Amino acid sequence: MAAITTDPGVYAPQHDSRALLDALREASLPRDARVLDLCAGSGVLAIGAAILSGGDVLALDVSADSVQCARRNADAVGIQITVAQGGLSDALAAGPFDVVVCNPPYVPCEPGGAQALAWDAGVDGRSMLGPLCRNARRLLRDGGFVLIVHSEFSGPDATIADLRASGLKAAVVSRRTIDFGPVMHSRAAWLEAQGALERGRRREELVVIRGDRADSDGT
């Protein structure tokens, strides 16, 4: 795959992107799967899904800059995907899908401060995760699955609970521990003050969580 490039304000592929790509490879996507990459950013996951499945891939992001960046990266690789500006409501309107992948904004941030669209997600890190998980079943065809990556500081137990409450089977399928990047370093003192981070620790666990729709009631 050609190198993925990003523009200012567009989330560049990092450890979480690689963790989700690895989980996507291990999931053995069905051929010609209809795939949604929600919060697509640079488009790296949408491109990877298209290569793995050869199916119809839709990449959605609320950022116009991300949409332009993802289109450019897909063109550079020579992969055909559909890229559009939109969020969860647009994804629900375009569904259902065989596979949904999402690397959402999930970094907890102080209330009232300036927030970066690409990674900040409210005080609990779940401003995108909560609505996504609660609506995940509606995004999927029978037999479909969703893969979501985020940090330990964004409530993996809540993600599993919300996915199960939506009607999916859910479990952690991948874990990896990494050093803090610049954004998490900038939040460390605040997280320590909230009691969410042990004083002096500067590492976090990334988790990939899978949810499966196994019913056949057609809803």
Side-chain angles (χ1 to χ4, degrees):
M1 185 186 296
I4 297 294
T5 62
T6 55
D7 302 315
V10 177
Y11 189 74
Q14 299 182 44
H15 292 285
D16 48 7
S17 311
R18 289 189 283 274
L20 197 48
L21 271 174
D22 288 345
L24 200 56
R25 292 189 189 99
E26 293 168 7
S28 299
L29 269 68
R31 294 301 301 173
D32 299 322
R34 186 161 192 250
V35 182
L36 169 68
D37 177 10
L38 185 60
C39 306
S42 67
V44 63
L45 291 165
I47 293 167
I51 292 171
L52 288 167
S53 76
D56 176 22
V57 178
L58 172 62
L60 286 178
D61 201 290
V62 297
S63 163
D65 290 337
S66 291
V67 169
Q68 182 178 1
C69 181
R71 283 178 178 154
R72 185 185 66 239
N73 283 321
D75 288 344
V77 177
I79 292 295
Q80 181 65 44
I81 61 173
T82 300
V83 185
Q85 188 171 5
L88 179 59
S89 61
D90 302 283
L92 289 165
F97 302 90
D98 298 298
V99 179
V100 175
V101 294
C102 188
N103 183 0
Y106 59 73
V107 178
C109 57
E110 297 184 57
Q115 296 192 20
L117 186 65
W119 53 76
D120 286 328
V123 175
D124 60 359
R126 297 192 60 80
S127 62
M128 177 63 192
L129 280 164
L132 169 62
C133 293
R134 290 191 291 271
N135 286 279
R137 182 175 174 274
R138 296 172 58 200
L139 287 169
L140 296 170
R141 291 172 174 163
D142 183 25
F145 65 89
V146 59
L147 290 169
I148 304 168
V149 65
H150 63 79
S151 167
E152 64 176 283
F153 297 107
S154 311
D157 289 343
T159 293
I160 291 174
D162 284 347
L163 288 172
R164 289 176 177 169
S166 82
L168 303 185
K169 298 178 180 179
V172 174
V173 295
S174 173
R175 300 179 186 270
R176 61 184 67 183
T177 301
I178 64 168
D179 293 328
F180 276 4
V183 173
M184 285 300 294
H185 271 293
S186 73
R187 306 292 158 79
W190 175 70
L191 288 169
E192 287 176 342
Q194 305 306 304
L197 174 67
E198 298 90 338
R199 193 162 300 278
R201 177 159 76 98
R202 295 298 182 265
R203 288 173 66 78
E204 64 178 320
E205 183 178 64
L206 298 178
V207 297
V208 178
I209 296 172
R210 173 168 170 158
D212 286 85
R213 176 171 174 166
D215 62 88
S216 56
D217 63 6
T219 62

